[in-house]
Amino acid sequence: MFIGLHALAYRGLHVLACRGLHALAIIGLHALAFRGLHVVTFRGLDALAFRGLHVIAFRGLHVQSIRGLHILTFRGLHVLTFRGLHLIALRGLHVLTFRGLHALGFKGLHALTFRGLHILAFRGLHVLTFRGLHVLTFRGLHVLPFRGLHVLPFRGLHAFAFKDYASSPS
């Protein structure tokens, strides 16, 4: 026998060891280990680990992990997480969250929230709210109410109202 080589075969079980390489095969299970690399396959499941990288694949599901970064893909669903950042994508829907920031995009609809600021955009309609300030724009119409002041400019027409003074007789 070769020096340092060890091999065993018995009724479907196969084992091999040689200078840091270890391999095993038994009834559909295959495993290999070599200098920090570990690989396993079993009935459609494939797994790999190497220096902090971990990869798993099973029937269309793929998961990857390395140094705090995690990626998952499955039938059009994509999920990514990294140090508080979360990103999800599924058939035109995109969602992102990061330290109080939340963003969403879906078929022309876009929404964003961050520390009291809210922004929404959809087919020419834009809405913004922030600490009592509300702004709405739509096809040339702009509406801005703020602490009793109301401003409405529309195609050259400008209307202002402050508290109830605009409607009271002079």
Side-chain angles (χ1 to χ4, degrees):
M1 189 168 237
F2 187 78
I3 298 173
L5 172 64
H6 304 276
L8 179 130
Y10 179 75
R11 293 187 181 177
L13 168 65
H14 299 80
V15 180
L16 175 92
C18 179
R19 296 186 183 177
L21 170 65
H22 298 80
L24 179 139
I26 181 171
I27 309 170
L29 169 65
H30 299 83
L32 181 135
F34 182 69
R35 294 185 183 170
L37 170 65
H38 298 79
V39 181
V40 176
T41 65
F42 181 68
R43 296 183 181 169
L45 169 65
D46 301 307
L48 178 143
F50 182 69
R51 294 185 182 171
L53 169 65
H54 299 81
V55 180
I56 298 173
F58 182 67
R59 296 183 182 168
L61 169 66
H62 297 81
V63 180
Q64 296 146 14
S65 174
I66 183 168
R67 296 181 183 161
L69 170 64
H70 306 281
I71 302 170
L72 180 144
T73 61
F74 182 68
R75 296 183 182 169
L77 170 65
H78 303 273
V79 179
L80 182 144
T81 66
F82 182 69
R83 295 183 183 170
L85 169 67
H86 300 78
L87 178 61
I88 300 171
L90 175 68
R91 296 181 185 155
L93 169 66
H94 298 80
V95 179
L96 181 141
T97 65
F98 182 68
R99 296 183 184 170
L101 169 67
H102 299 65
L104 180 142
F106 183 67
K107 295 183 179 177
L109 169 66
H110 299 82
L112 183 142
T113 66
F114 183 68
R115 295 183 183 168
L117 169 65
H118 304 277
I119 301 173
L120 184 136
F122 183 68
R123 295 184 182 169
L125 169 66
H126 299 80
V127 179
L128 181 145
T129 65
F130 183 69
R131 295 184 183 167
L133 171 65
H134 305 275
V135 180
L136 183 142
T137 66
F138 183 68
R139 296 183 183 167
L141 170 66
H142 304 275
V143 179
L144 190 151
F146 182 68
R147 295 185 182 165
L149 170 65
H150 297 75
V151 181
L152 193 149
F154 181 67
R155 296 184 184 165
L157 168 67
H158 295 74
F160 297 91
F162 187 69
K163 292 186 179 177
D164 285 332
Y165 300 122
S167 61
S168 65
S170 49

